Amino acid sequence: PDVLTRYETSGLAHPASQGVGPFEAVEEPYRKVWMAEGAEPMLLSATPESDRVVAWSTQRDMSRIAVVVPGHG
């Protein structure tokens, strides 16, 4: 079901989250989404129906990776 979901940045300095402030969206949040070992959270959800970490970043070899999975709505 769609719920009002609140988001905030984790404070990680990353180009993908630069300039993003707290915001809200009405959507169906995801739960139990896979996150790479050693990844650093970029975006957090303050809504109990959602995973706490909804965006993260990591690096593998020469590749910088950013994953954003807040939900859909």
mmCIF file of all heavy atoms in Angstrom, residues 5-8 23 27 29-31 33 35 41-47 50-56 67-71:
data_model
loop_
_atom_site.group_PDB
_atom_site.id
_atom_site.type_symbol
_atom_site.label_atom_id
_atom_site.label_comp_id
_atom_site.label_asym_id
_atom_site.label_seq_id
_atom_site.Cartn_x
_atom_site.Cartn_y
_atom_site.Cartn_z
ATOM 1 N N THR A 5 6.077 8.673 2.826
ATOM 2 C CA THR A 5 7.412 8.245 3.244
ATOM 3 C C THR A 5 8.317 9.452 3.342
ATOM 4 O O THR A 5 8.383 10.259 2.419
ATOM 5 C CB THR A 5 7.981 7.233 2.230
ATOM 6 O OG1 THR A 5 7.032 6.166 2.069
ATOM 7 C CG2 THR A 5 9.284 6.653 2.715
ATOM 8 N N ARG A 6 9.014 9.576 4.451
ATOM 9 C CA ARG A 6 9.944 10.695 4.674
ATOM 10 C C ARG A 6 11.376 10.219 4.446
ATOM 11 O O ARG A 6 11.753 9.159 4.927
ATOM 12 C CB ARG A 6 9.773 11.231 6.090
ATOM 13 C CG ARG A 6 8.440 11.883 6.309
ATOM 14 C CD ARG A 6 8.298 12.386 7.756
ATOM 15 N NE ARG A 6 7.050 13.115 7.904
ATOM 16 C CZ ARG A 6 5.885 12.536 8.165
ATOM 17 N NH1 ARG A 6 5.818 11.231 8.299
ATOM 18 N NH2 ARG A 6 4.794 13.259 8.281
ATOM 19 N N TYR A 7 12.156 11.046 3.739
ATOM 20 C CA TYR A 7 13.544 10.711 3.430
ATOM 21 C C TYR A 7 14.475 11.816 3.904
ATOM 22 O O TYR A 7 14.111 12.987 3.911
ATOM 23 C CB TYR A 7 13.729 10.526 1.919
ATOM 24 C CG TYR A 7 12.915 9.399 1.359
ATOM 25 C CD1 TYR A 7 11.761 9.641 0.637
ATOM 26 C CD2 TYR A 7 13.301 8.076 1.559
ATOM 27 C CE1 TYR A 7 11.010 8.603 0.111
ATOM 28 C CE2 TYR A 7 12.563 7.031 1.046
ATOM 29 C CZ TYR A 7 11.418 7.306 0.323
ATOM 30 O OH TYR A 7 10.673 6.272 -0.189
ATOM 31 N N GLU A 8 15.692 11.409 4.240
ATOM 32 C CA GLU A 8 16.741 12.365 4.611
ATOM 33 C C GLU A 8 18.079 11.777 4.186
ATOM 34 O O GLU A 8 18.232 10.553 4.098
ATOM 35 C CB GLU A 8 16.735 12.619 6.112
ATOM 36 C CG GLU A 8 16.958 11.360 6.919
ATOM 37 C CD GLU A 8 16.682 11.536 8.405
ATOM 38 O OE1 GLU A 8 15.823 12.354 8.766
ATOM 39 O OE2 GLU A 8 17.338 10.836 9.189
ATOM 40 N N PHE A 23 12.900 15.207 2.144
ATOM 41 C CA PHE A 23 11.713 15.300 1.296
ATOM 42 C C PHE A 23 10.759 14.165 1.625
ATOM 43 O O PHE A 23 11.120 13.225 2.330
ATOM 44 C CB PHE A 23 12.094 15.293 -0.193
ATOM 45 C CG PHE A 23 12.692 14.000 -0.685
ATOM 46 C CD1 PHE A 23 11.905 13.042 -1.302
ATOM 47 C CD2 PHE A 23 14.049 13.761 -0.539
ATOM 48 C CE1 PHE A 23 12.455 11.863 -1.770
ATOM 49 C CE2 PHE A 23 14.619 12.575 -1.002
ATOM 50 C CZ PHE A 23 13.818 11.628 -1.618
ATOM 51 N N GLU A 27 4.385 6.603 -1.712
ATOM 52 C CA GLU A 27 4.761 5.439 -2.497
ATOM 53 C C GLU A 27 4.647 4.167 -1.672
ATOM 54 O O GLU A 27 4.428 4.218 -0.464
ATOM 55 C CB GLU A 27 6.168 5.583 -3.047
ATOM 56 C CG GLU A 27 7.226 5.763 -1.986
ATOM 57 C CD GLU A 27 8.563 6.118 -2.607
ATOM 58 O OE1 GLU A 27 8.643 6.335 -3.811
ATOM 59 O OE2 GLU A 27 9.528 6.156 -1.863
ATOM 60 N N PRO A 29 6.715 1.506 -0.112
ATOM 61 C CA PRO A 29 8.126 1.277 0.220
ATOM 62 C C PRO A 29 8.517 -0.194 0.096
ATOM 63 O O PRO A 29 7.688 -1.084 0.266
ATOM 64 C CB PRO A 29 8.238 1.741 1.673
ATOM 65 C CG PRO A 29 6.874 1.999 2.162
ATOM 66 C CD PRO A 29 5.927 1.889 1.037
ATOM 67 N N TYR A 30 9.788 -0.416 -0.191
ATOM 68 C CA TYR A 30 10.343 -1.768 -0.266
ATOM 69 C C TYR A 30 10.900 -2.179 1.092
ATOM 70 O O TYR A 30 11.318 -1.339 1.884
ATOM 71 C CB TYR A 30 11.460 -1.833 -1.297
ATOM 72 C CG TYR A 30 11.000 -1.636 -2.717
ATOM 73 C CD1 TYR A 30 11.658 -0.758 -3.550
ATOM 74 C CD2 TYR A 30 9.925 -2.345 -3.222
ATOM 75 C CE1 TYR A 30 11.254 -0.577 -4.864
ATOM 76 C CE2 TYR A 30 9.501 -2.171 -4.528
ATOM 77 C CZ TYR A 30 10.190 -1.290 -5.347
ATOM 78 O OH TYR A 30 9.786 -1.121 -6.630
ATOM 79 N N ARG A 31 10.959 -3.485 1.323
ATOM 80 C CA ARG A 31 11.541 -4.049 2.545
ATOM 81 C C ARG A 31 12.534 -5.134 2.155
ATOM 82 O O ARG A 31 12.375 -5.801 1.141
ATOM 83 C CB ARG A 31 10.461 -4.670 3.428
ATOM 84 C CG ARG A 31 9.376 -3.727 3.892
ATOM 85 C CD ARG A 31 9.724 -2.892 5.064
ATOM 86 N NE ARG A 31 10.048 -3.718 6.213
ATOM 87 C CZ ARG A 31 10.670 -3.267 7.272
ATOM 88 N NH1 ARG A 31 11.030 -2.017 7.333
ATOM 89 N NH2 ARG A 31 10.947 -4.039 8.280
ATOM 90 N N VAL A 33 15.662 -5.116 1.041
ATOM 91 C CA VAL A 33 16.406 -4.947 -0.209
ATOM 92 C C VAL A 33 17.880 -5.234 0.066
ATOM 93 O O VAL A 33 18.440 -4.793 1.064
ATOM 94 C CB VAL A 33 16.218 -3.514 -0.767
ATOM 95 C CG1 VAL A 33 17.089 -3.290 -1.985
ATOM 96 C CG2 VAL A 33 14.761 -3.273 -1.098
ATOM 97 N N MET A 35 21.840 -5.070 0.101
ATOM 98 C CA MET A 35 22.826 -3.986 0.102
ATOM 99 C C MET A 35 24.213 -4.611 0.110
ATOM 100 O O MET A 35 24.472 -5.542 0.886
ATOM 101 C CB MET A 35 22.624 -3.111 1.344
ATOM 102 C CG MET A 35 23.468 -1.863 1.334
ATOM 103 S SD MET A 35 22.902 -0.697 2.612
ATOM 104 C CE MET A 35 24.325 -0.652 3.657
ATOM 105 N N PRO A 41 25.595 4.088 3.410
ATOM 106 C CA PRO A 41 24.264 4.656 3.187
ATOM 107 C C PRO A 41 24.343 6.101 2.695
ATOM 108 O O PRO A 41 25.158 6.883 3.168
ATOM 109 C CB PRO A 41 23.619 4.611 4.570
ATOM 110 C CG PRO A 41 24.387 3.600 5.339
ATOM 111 C CD PRO A 41 25.786 3.662 4.795
ATOM 112 N N MET A 42 23.466 6.450 1.721
ATOM 113 C CA MET A 42 23.359 7.821 1.226
ATOM 114 C C MET A 42 22.025 8.450 1.586
ATOM 115 O O MET A 42 21.951 9.630 1.868
ATOM 116 C CB MET A 42 23.492 7.855 -0.304
ATOM 117 C CG MET A 42 24.849 7.624 -0.840
ATOM 118 S SD MET A 42 24.957 8.008 -2.614
ATOM 119 C CE MET A 42 23.653 7.043 -3.326
ATOM 120 N N LEU A 43 20.931 7.661 1.501
ATOM 121 C CA LEU A 43 19.592 8.172 1.734
ATOM 122 C C LEU A 43 18.874 7.245 2.712
ATOM 123 O O LEU A 43 18.927 6.023 2.564
ATOM 124 C CB LEU A 43 18.815 8.232 0.411
ATOM 125 C CG LEU A 43 17.443 8.892 0.429
ATOM 126 C CD1 LEU A 43 17.550 10.382 0.786
ATOM 127 C CD2 LEU A 43 16.775 8.725 -0.927
ATOM 128 N N LEU A 44 18.232 7.852 3.707
ATOM 129 C CA LEU A 44 17.562 7.093 4.760
ATOM 130 C C LEU A 44 16.072 7.388 4.765
ATOM 131 O O LEU A 44 15.650 8.504 4.473
ATOM 132 C CB LEU A 44 18.152 7.475 6.127
ATOM 133 C CG LEU A 44 19.668 7.391 6.250
ATOM 134 C CD1 LEU A 44 20.110 7.957 7.595
ATOM 135 C CD2 LEU A 44 20.148 5.973 6.070
ATOM 136 N N SER A 45 15.296 6.381 5.140
ATOM 137 C CA SER A 45 13.853 6.553 5.294
ATOM 138 C C SER A 45 13.538 6.631 6.778
ATOM 139 O O SER A 45 14.091 5.896 7.578
ATOM 140 C CB SER A 45 13.105 5.368 4.680
ATOM 141 O OG SER A 45 11.742 5.420 5.046
ATOM 142 N N ALA A 46 12.617 7.522 7.125
ATOM 143 C CA ALA A 46 12.179 7.661 8.515
ATOM 144 C C ALA A 46 10.794 7.043 8.703
ATOM 145 O O ALA A 46 10.121 7.320 9.682
ATOM 146 C CB ALA A 46 12.166 9.135 8.909
ATOM 147 N N THR A 47 10.389 6.194 7.750
ATOM 148 C CA THR A 47 9.063 5.590 7.782
ATOM 149 C C THR A 47 9.178 4.123 8.194
ATOM 150 O O THR A 47 9.947 3.379 7.583
ATOM 151 C CB THR A 47 8.409 5.701 6.385
ATOM 152 O OG1 THR A 47 8.369 7.084 6.039
ATOM 153 C CG2 THR A 47 7.018 5.136 6.371
ATOM 154 N N SER A 50 9.277 1.090 5.675
ATOM 155 C CA SER A 50 10.374 1.011 4.713
ATOM 156 C C SER A 50 11.657 0.543 5.388
ATOM 157 O O SER A 50 11.835 0.694 6.591
ATOM 158 C CB SER A 50 10.605 2.403 4.115
ATOM 159 O OG SER A 50 11.737 2.414 3.292
ATOM 160 N N ASP A 51 12.576 -0.033 4.584
ATOM 161 C CA ASP A 51 13.933 -0.245 5.085
ATOM 162 C C ASP A 51 14.504 1.107 5.484
ATOM 163 O O ASP A 51 14.169 2.134 4.875
ATOM 164 C CB ASP A 51 14.830 -0.850 4.001
ATOM 165 C CG ASP A 51 14.560 -2.336 3.763
ATOM 166 O OD1 ASP A 51 13.841 -2.952 4.560
ATOM 167 O OD2 ASP A 51 15.089 -2.850 2.764
ATOM 168 N N ARG A 52 15.382 1.139 6.459
ATOM 169 C CA ARG A 52 16.001 2.398 6.889
ATOM 170 C C ARG A 52 16.879 2.964 5.779
ATOM 171 O O ARG A 52 16.823 4.141 5.467
ATOM 172 C CB ARG A 52 16.795 2.172 8.176
ATOM 173 C CG ARG A 52 17.529 3.381 8.684
ATOM 174 C CD ARG A 52 16.605 4.405 9.290
ATOM 175 N NE ARG A 52 17.406 5.482 9.885
ATOM 176 C CZ ARG A 52 17.086 6.744 9.806
ATOM 177 N NH1 ARG A 52 15.990 7.114 9.218
ATOM 178 N NH2 ARG A 52 17.844 7.657 10.352
ATOM 179 N N VAL A 53 17.738 2.139 5.175
ATOM 180 C CA VAL A 53 18.632 2.581 4.097
ATOM 181 C C VAL A 53 17.948 2.320 2.759
ATOM 182 O O VAL A 53 17.600 1.190 2.444
ATOM 183 C CB VAL A 53 19.986 1.838 4.149
ATOM 184 C CG1 VAL A 53 20.874 2.254 2.983
ATOM 185 C CG2 VAL A 53 20.683 2.090 5.477
ATOM 186 N N VAL A 54 17.734 3.377 1.976
ATOM 187 C CA VAL A 54 17.074 3.237 0.678
ATOM 188 C C VAL A 54 17.974 3.658 -0.494
ATOM 189 O O VAL A 54 17.575 3.539 -1.646
ATOM 190 C CB VAL A 54 15.738 4.008 0.636
ATOM 191 C CG1 VAL A 54 14.746 3.409 1.619
ATOM 192 C CG2 VAL A 54 15.939 5.479 0.905
ATOM 193 N N ALA A 55 19.174 4.143 -0.196
ATOM 194 C CA ALA A 55 20.172 4.434 -1.233
ATOM 195 C C ALA A 55 21.553 4.265 -0.609
ATOM 196 O O ALA A 55 21.772 4.648 0.532
ATOM 197 C CB ALA A 55 20.008 5.846 -1.777
ATOM 198 N N TRP A 56 22.456 3.666 -1.379
ATOM 199 C CA TRP A 56 23.793 3.425 -0.854
ATOM 200 C C TRP A 56 24.818 3.511 -1.982
ATOM 201 O O TRP A 56 24.464 3.496 -3.155
ATOM 202 C CB TRP A 56 23.878 2.078 -0.148
ATOM 203 C CG TRP A 56 23.338 0.886 -0.909
ATOM 204 C CD1 TRP A 56 22.061 0.399 -0.857
ATOM 205 C CD2 TRP A 56 24.045 0.047 -1.819
ATOM 206 N NE1 TRP A 56 21.943 -0.693 -1.682
ATOM 207 C CE2 TRP A 56 23.143 -0.942 -2.277
ATOM 208 C CE3 TRP A 56 25.346 0.021 -2.291
ATOM 209 C CZ2 TRP A 56 23.503 -1.926 -3.180
ATOM 210 C CZ3 TRP A 56 25.714 -0.970 -3.198
ATOM 211 C CH2 TRP A 56 24.787 -1.926 -3.620
ATOM 212 N N VAL A 67 23.278 3.062 -5.702
ATOM 213 C CA VAL A 67 22.026 2.320 -5.841
ATOM 214 C C VAL A 67 20.940 3.071 -5.075
ATOM 215 O O VAL A 67 21.127 3.417 -3.913
ATOM 216 C CB VAL A 67 22.173 0.884 -5.291
ATOM 217 C CG1 VAL A 67 20.850 0.150 -5.338
ATOM 218 C CG2 VAL A 67 23.244 0.134 -6.064
ATOM 219 N N VAL A 68 19.804 3.319 -5.749
ATOM 220 C CA VAL A 68 18.674 4.037 -5.132
ATOM 221 C C VAL A 68 17.432 3.152 -5.293
ATOM 222 O O VAL A 68 17.011 2.880 -6.407
ATOM 223 C CB VAL A 68 18.452 5.412 -5.798
ATOM 224 C CG1 VAL A 68 17.310 6.141 -5.129
ATOM 225 C CG2 VAL A 68 19.734 6.223 -5.771
ATOM 226 N N VAL A 69 16.873 2.707 -4.148
ATOM 227 C CA VAL A 69 15.711 1.808 -4.175
ATOM 228 C C VAL A 69 14.708 2.237 -3.103
ATOM 229 O O VAL A 69 14.487 1.538 -2.133
ATOM 230 C CB VAL A 69 16.141 0.339 -3.927
ATOM 231 C CG1 VAL A 69 14.980 -0.600 -4.192
ATOM 232 C CG2 VAL A 69 17.322 -0.051 -4.780
ATOM 233 N N PRO A 70 14.066 3.408 -3.280
ATOM 234 C CA PRO A 70 13.140 3.862 -2.248
ATOM 235 C C PRO A 70 11.788 3.159 -2.275
ATOM 236 O O PRO A 70 11.143 3.017 -1.257
ATOM 237 C CB PRO A 70 12.970 5.350 -2.538
ATOM 238 C CG PRO A 70 13.225 5.450 -4.001
ATOM 239 C CD PRO A 70 14.245 4.399 -4.320
ATOM 240 N N GLY A 71 11.326 2.729 -3.426
ATOM 241 C CA GLY A 71 10.009 2.116 -3.577
ATOM 242 C C GLY A 71 9.404 2.568 -4.887
ATOM 243 O O GLY A 71 10.098 3.041 -5.768
#
